[in-house]
Amino acid sequence: MPTLENIVTPALIVDGDMVEANLMAMSTALPGDRLRPHVKAHKCTQLAKRQASHGHIRFCCATVREVVGMAAAGLGTDLLLANETLDASRLAPLEACVTVAVDSLETIEAAARAGGAVEAVLVDVNVGLPRCGCKPEDAGRLADAARSKGLGVRGVMGYEGHVVGLEDRQQRIDQTSQAMEILQRAHADVGGNVISAGGTGTYDINTWATEIQAGSYALMDTAYGKLNLPFRQALWVWSTVISVSDEYAVLDCGLKSLGMDHGNPQIEDGQVWFCSDEHTTFSTQAKVEVGDRMRVTPAHIDPTVAYHEALHVVQNGEIADTWPIDLRGW
Amino acid sequence: MPTLENIVTPALIVDGDMVEANLMAMSTALPGDRLRPHVKAHKCTQLAKRQASHGHIRFCCATVREVVGMAAAGLGTDLLLANETLDASRLAPLEACVTVAVDSLETIEAAARAGGAVEAVLVDVNVGLPRCGCKPEDAGRLADAARSKGLGVRGVMGYEGHVVGLEDRQQRIDQTSQAMEILQRAHADVGGNVISAGGTGTYDINTWATEIQAGSYALMDTAYGKLNLPFRQALWVWSTVISVSDEYAVLDCGLKSLGMDHGNPQIEDGQVWFCSDEHTTFSTQAKVEVGDRMRVTPAHIDPTVAYHEALHVVQNGEIADTWPIDLRGW
């Protein structure tokens, strides 16, 4: 087992106790089927097994490969591909029970052609984010089309992705309410008993959904860290100081180990200047020496994790376990 | 062999003829040892072999794993780890000839401890970019320290990374001149016959360096595309339209398949609105249907390639070869 002193950096480390605390906080707030954890945030079946041990056994995936990997790991009780795909045939042979999101006749036909494990759909409804999802008024027609193709229709899905990151809680409440009003209207036309929606930023606000699709809560990042949620930062990029100058120092993590769409990462007691492919230049008042190792907090967890091969689980200051990030790719 | 119609998307595709044209243009401008191609841009030994076939057999790497992978692929004639590392011992067992960049006593000691394949160093000098590199006035002292530890000193390295992306050519000329004046001063104190510097944006401007460390020229991206260089875009993210609405459509590539630090990717005849983890929302005047496949041009190639497992080489409209991106990780 590698140690924090000798492990090759950059490496993803997670605080095992904080992950458990986050999973516990979520399972207390949203027990059992009230949460459908989204694996896209961590892409790690070992972590998904920890989520299952807290009673969350039905999962969301964003890619076909995530569904395939979850099924292979024995986590296929009820998998939702919460995304549109024309490639549903890759899901058919799985030892799993798979539901796919659809928002068009083309995606319905792809699901119907797949057969096998793909037994049902959720009609994906646009609730305000300009991305996937049909117009609310088209949802009933699409549900009928799915049924006519022999697919089960479990209900609707509508992700308020334009709301989950708003820092003002009252704004999140107001805008979630508006989004879910749209989704409920569509649900009345669609039928079924599932209303799937929500994310880490609205997990306790979205009481309209029958199940919440949160994922980031398990590991967190600086973006969600601003929202005063009961989940704590549990993942960092572990990095080595490789160069020290008078005014700044340089770490060996950079654009290829950090998702950058939400901006620069953060470090304790210091200021990040900029990131290059394999470097982060920063300044600090603290004394820094070449060879020191530091935790770097990513701004956005999902595209950060997707660069790495493993999560190293730290407990009592030591690497206690290594979990492969086995759901990468498509 | 997969086809462009059935390959799982998102996928990286490269135009085989354009890559060859780019390699040819570079080998005409900087034949043989005048160029030391940087593999960090493509992380692909198959592409490195194409570069070697154009006479560029000495390579730059940014990570220990890149050096290890290049040596394993039989490309270890003269590998420069153009980056500081405390982990040089992983290089010692290689069947290769390895030079490492050093800018401190700690990195010199790490190189000296390694032994084996690690025979020599370049003293890395800061020429204006606040990243690695010693002060010019410290370079001679570090060279002496390296020699006293039994290491060969081949010369100096100094990357004008603050200059290579400037859109105004005259600015690139002026600032490269200033940076190389610093590097030449350090070289006088260091000795050796190598002055290693430069990048794709200064490949024909930097006439002070004995070898140029360009990498992006082989595949290009939108950032370097603004510089009127004789290298053409040769890599795209191949992506599928999975949802179409009245005002926009959605592709199945996003933050996990595109390096985002240089901003949004581009599409032909359209406007990218924003990227999410697995989606790109865009608008276009062209007719778009669910299932259409499109080329997406990344803003920054290096962190884009690092998300993918393979480069699919397209020739005459068909996938003619698939090259593993086998130098990922650290």
Side-chain angles (χ1 to χ4, degrees):
Chain A
M1 189 69 70
T3 69
L4 286 174
E5 289 70 39
N6 71 17
I7 192 171
V8 172
T9 57
L12 285 186
I13 56 170
V14 300
D15 183 313
D17 293 338
M18 285 198 194
V19 172
E20 283 300 313
N22 288 342
L23 301 189
M24 180 68 79
M26 185 58 100
S27 67
T28 303
L30 299 178
D33 294 351
R34 279 285 294 142
L35 185 81
R36 184 186 282 279
H38 211 316
V39 301
K40 81 182 176 77
H42 57 67
K43 286 181 173 283
C44 172
T45 56
Q46 290 288 101
L47 181 42
K49 286 178 182 175
R50 296 301 316 138
Q51 292 174 307
S53 79
H54 284 267
H56 297 136
I57 61 168
R58 302 167 198 279
F59 290 91
C60 266
C61 301
T63 65
V64 170
R65 183 167 314 173
E66 287 172 8
V67 180
V68 170
M70 288 291 283
L75 294 163
T77 303
D78 177 1
L79 296 173
L80 168 61
L81 178 54
N83 196 2
E84 276 58 28
T85 186
L86 299 167
D87 211 10
S89 60
R90 287 165 61 209
L91 303 171
L94 303 184
E95 295 280 332
C97 187
V98 180
T99 302
V100 298
V102 295
D103 71 354
S104 65
L105 291 175
E106 291 89 340
T107 47
I108 288 169
E109 280 159 13
R113 272 196 309 273
V118 183
E119 292 176 359
V121 299
L122 290 186
V123 178
D124 187 6
V125 180
N126 184 323
V127 296
L129 177 72
R131 213 168 66 184
C132 297
C134 68
K135 291 182 200 169
E137 58 269 30
D138 291 338
R141 184 180 57 82
L142 289 171
D144 292 342
R147 287 191 192 96
S148 78
K149 301 273 182 192
L151 290 160
V153 176
R154 296 182 66 185
V156 293
M157 173 183 124
Y159 178 51
E160 68 275 26
H162 55 304
V163 183
V164 293
L166 298 174
E167 292 186 34
D168 183 275
R169 183 174 168 86
Q170 192 56 49
Q171 279 192 3
R172 292 206 301 283
I173 292 171
D174 295 344
Q175 293 193 33
T176 299
S177 167
Q178 290 163 22
M180 291 304 109
E181 206 173 291
I182 296 170
L183 191 57
Q184 284 183 308
R185 213 162 58 226
H187 182 234
D189 294 340
V190 167
N193 54 17
V194 174
I195 302 179
S196 196
T200 294
T202 57
Y203 82 102
D204 64 336
I205 288 171
N206 192 332
T207 52
W208 299 267
T210 61
E211 59 178 37
I212 299 292
Q213 298 187 356
S216 300
Y217 73 96
L219 299 173
M220 291 295 282
D221 55 30
T222 67
Y224 271 129
K226 296 177 188 152
L227 266 53
N228 280 318
L229 303 171
F231 313 112
R232 291 185 297 168
Q233 185 68 33
L235 173 139
W236 300 268
V237 176
W238 187 238
S239 187
T240 303
V241 175
I242 55 170
S243 185
V244 175
S245 296
D246 293 344
E247 294 176 19
Y248 58 85
V250 183
L251 288 161
D252 66 353
C253 65
L255 305 177
K256 290 174 180 171
S257 51
L258 291 159
M260 293 298 293
D261 60 292
H262 283 26
N264 282 339
Q266 293 181 8
I267 54 166
E268 248 177 301
D269 303 324
Q271 182 68 37
V272 168
W273 289 17
F274 67 97
C275 296
S276 316
D277 280 335
E278 303 286 3
H279 302 104
T280 294
T281 296
F282 70 101
S283 56
T284 175
Q285 297 298 320
K287 180 153 178 57
V288 180
E289 293 182 351
V290 173
D292 287 353
R293 294 186 155 207
M294 294 174 51
R295 298 193 311 195
V296 176
T297 312
H300 190 187
I301 192 172
D302 307 55
T304 297
V305 168
Y307 273 129
H308 294 263
E309 291 171 7
L311 295 174
H312 302 283
V313 184
V314 177
Q315 239 145 359
N316 303 319
E318 291 185 3
I319 296 176
D321 208 350
T322 292
W323 295 343
I325 300 171
D326 49 353
L327 302 176
R328 301 198 295 168
W330 301 274
Chain B
M1 189 69 71
T3 69
L4 286 174
E5 289 69 40
N6 71 16
I7 192 170
V8 173
T9 57
L12 286 186
I13 56 170
V14 300
D15 183 311
D17 294 336
M18 285 198 193
V19 172
E20 283 299 314
N22 288 342
L23 301 189
M24 179 69 79
M26 185 58 101
S27 67
T28 303
L30 299 178
D33 293 352
R34 280 286 294 140
L35 185 81
R36 185 186 281 278
H38 211 317
V39 301
K40 80 183 176 79
H42 56 67
K43 286 182 174 283
C44 172
T45 57
Q46 291 289 100
L47 181 42
K49 286 179 182 174
R50 295 301 317 140
Q51 292 174 307
S53 79
H54 284 266
H56 297 136
I57 60 168
R58 302 167 198 280
F59 290 90
C60 265
C61 300
T63 66
V64 170
R65 179 160 325 166
E66 287 173 8
V67 180
V68 170
M70 288 291 284
L75 294 163
T77 303
D78 177 359
L79 296 173
L80 168 61
L81 178 54
N83 195 4
E84 276 58 28
T85 185
L86 300 166
D87 210 9
S89 60
R90 287 167 60 209
L91 303 171
L94 302 184
E95 295 279 334
C97 186
V98 180
T99 301
V100 299
V102 295
D103 71 353
S104 64
L105 291 176
E106 292 89 340
T107 47
I108 288 169
E109 281 159 13
R113 273 197 310 275
V118 183
E119 293 177 359
V121 300
L122 290 186
V123 177
D124 187 7
V125 181
N126 184 322
V127 296
L129 177 72
R131 214 168 66 184
C132 297
C134 68
K135 290 181 200 170
E137 58 269 30
D138 291 339
R141 184 179 58 81
L142 289 170
D144 292 342
R147 287 191 193 94
S148 77
K149 301 276 182 190
L151 289 161
V153 177
R154 296 181 66 185
V156 292
M157 173 182 124
Y159 178 52
E160 69 275 25
H162 55 306
V163 183
V164 293
L166 298 174
E167 291 186 34
D168 183 276
R169 183 174 168 87
Q170 191 57 48
Q171 279 193 4
R172 292 206 302 283
I173 292 171
D174 296 344
Q175 294 194 34
T176 299
S177 167
Q178 291 162 23
M180 291 304 108
E181 206 173 290
I182 297 170
L183 191 57
Q184 284 184 309
R185 215 161 58 225
H187 183 234
D189 295 341
V190 167
N193 55 18
V194 173
I195 302 179
S196 196
T200 294
T202 57
Y203 82 102
D204 63 336
I205 288 171
N206 192 330
T207 51
W208 298 268
T210 61
E211 59 179 38
I212 299 292
Q213 297 186 357
S216 299
Y217 73 95
L219 300 175
M220 293 293 284
D221 55 29
T222 67
Y224 271 130
K226 295 176 188 154
L227 265 54
N228 279 318
L229 303 170
F231 312 113
R232 291 184 299 168
Q233 185 68 34
L235 173 139
W236 300 268
V237 177
W238 187 237
S239 188
T240 303
V241 175
I242 55 170
S243 184
V244 174
S245 296
D246 293 344
E247 294 176 17
Y248 57 85
V250 183
L251 288 160
D252 66 354
C253 65
L255 305 176
K256 291 174 179 170
S257 52
L258 291 159
M260 294 297 294
D261 60 293
H262 284 27
N264 282 338
Q266 293 181 7
I267 55 167
E268 248 178 300
D269 303 324
Q271 182 68 36
V272 169
W273 289 18
F274 67 98
C275 296
S276 315
D277 281 336
E278 303 286 4
H279 302 104
T280 294
T281 296
F282 70 100
S283 56
T284 177
Q285 296 298 323
K287 178 151 179 58
V288 180
E289 292 183 353
V290 173
D292 288 353
R293 294 186 155 206
M294 292 173 52
R295 298 193 310 195
V296 176
T297 312
H300 190 187
I301 191 171
D302 307 55
T304 297
V305 169
Y307 273 130
H308 294 262
E309 292 172 7
L311 294 174
H312 302 283
V313 184
V314 177
Q315 238 144 1
N316 303 319
E318 291 185 2
I319 296 176
D321 208 350
T322 293
W323 295 343
I325 300 171
D326 50 354
L327 302 176
R328 300 199 296 168
W330 300 276

